[in-house]
Amino acid sequence: MTTHSHASVPTPHAITEVAFHRSELGVILSLYGRMVAAGEWRDYGISCLKHVAIFSVFRRTAEHPLYRIEKRPELRNRQGQYAVIGMDGQILKRGHDLKTVLRVLERKLIRAVD
């Protein structure tokens, strides 16, 4: 039995946009589901752009996002590729580990349940 390895050669057009990996979306959607159940969040949107992937969270569909969860791979070796950004554009938390960065929103869930 022979196994064939197909190594793809990256072309300049291969990487056109940043996206969340399935495992990253699992972590984000787990938090999202808990926030929806708590009545805090109602809708979300995902944007995959050239330098950033954004998961936007809304309380109502037709408004500005409450929070943006961003993935910026170019910051991977500096302050971290993940960030949670508030409605006012302020970075609430940035880091290398998505679960750690999302804890800033987990605290809001605990307050909502109290």
Side-chain angles (χ1 to χ4, degrees), residues 2-105:
T2 30
T3 52
H4 297 283
S5 165
H6 297 286
S8 62
V9 179
T11 62
H13 303 291
I15 300 171
T16 55
E17 58 188 31
V18 177
F20 288 104
H21 187 271
R22 181 177 297 183
S23 61
E24 295 166 327
L25 278 175
V27 171
I28 294 169
L29 288 170
S30 171
L31 171 63
Y32 177 80
R34 293 195 308 274
M35 292 301 248
V36 168
E40 293 293 301
W41 297 353
R42 292 242 176 353
D43 200 7
Y44 71 89
I46 298 176
S47 304
C48 299
L49 307 172
K50 189 172 183 179
H51 297 287
V52 61
I54 305 168
F55 186 99
S56 301
V57 175
F58 300 89
R59 195 180 307 263
R60 282 178 292 282
T61 309
E63 65 180 21
H64 294 289
L66 287 174
Y67 302 104
R68 292 189 331 264
I69 300 162
E70 293 190 355
K71 174 183 176 181
R72 292 184 180 269
E74 74 245 12
L75 298 179
R76 185 183 300 121
N77 296 326
R78 295 200 286 283
Q79 61 266 60
Q81 68 177 338
Y82 301 109
V84 173
I85 300 166
M87 196 188 259
D88 57 0
Q90 181 182 4
I91 296 172
L92 304 177
K93 183 89 172 151
R94 181 184 294 283
H96 300 279
D97 180 64
L98 181 58
K99 287 182 182 177
T100 303
V101 171
L102 292 180
R103 280 195 198 126
V104 72
L105 298 174

